[in-house]
Amino acid sequence: MPVKIRLQRHGKKGKPYYWIVAADARSKRDGKYLEKLGAYNPNTNPATIELNVDGAVKWLQNGAQPTDTAKNLLSYKGALLKNHLAGGVRKGALTEEQAEAKFAAWLEEKEGKVGAKAEGLAKAEADAKAKALDAEKAVNDARIAAAAPVVEEEAPAEEAEASNEEE
């Protein structure tokens, strides 16, 4: 039975949410699956990916073929790297401890990159909010300045009329 690791669509129209599943290649897109491996939410920034890495590696070692998008997600979370390192352990190129150390180092580096992106997005959002507030203050100040001279011009005109009536 050919097995694929693929996405199964959930969520409402215009707001997709996907499950990452191992399924028979002949089953429907949203049909029966063998095992749920995780979830993927592209609506958040950065996209939220939850993945059972060990389960994905087990399916990859048993011959499951990921689709293109699923392969990108597995690569992003390190399942393909862990599968590659497990192959090196089986061949005797490295020990289990070395493979775990390499994977842990890769995970730490990846978390740093994702954290930096999240911080950058938060900073950009805060800067945009500050610019919008400054622009709104400038508009309000201009509006107040435009309204204030009108009141001052009317007062001298009334005084002039009052002095003309007295003469």
Side-chain angles (χ1 to χ4, degrees), residues 75-97:
S75 175
Y76 182 82
K77 292 305 267 187
L80 294 180
L81 175 65
K82 193 164 189 175
N83 184 37
H84 177 72
L85 292 173
V89 169
R90 275 195 311 273
K91 292 178 181 177
L94 36 115
T95 64
E96 186 71 36
E97 293 79 25

Side-chain angles (χ1 to χ4, degrees), residues 40-90:
Y40 167 55
N41 185 1
N43 299 317
T44 60
N45 191 8
T48 307
I49 304 169
E50 301 161 8
L51 181 68
N52 176 2
V53 176
D54 294 329
V57 169
K58 179 189 78 161
W59 279 106
L60 289 169
Q61 289 175 348
N62 287 331
Q65 294 296 314
T67 61
D68 292 339
T69 306
K71 188 174 188 176
N72 290 337
L73 296 175
L74 293 175
S75 175
Y76 182 82
K77 292 305 267 187
L80 294 180
L81 175 65
K82 193 164 189 175
N83 184 37
H84 177 72
L85 292 173
V89 169
R90 275 195 311 273

Side-chain angles (χ1 to χ4, degrees), residues 9 11-16:
R9 192 175 199 274
K12 60 184 184 177
K13 189 171 20 171
K15 296 280 187 185

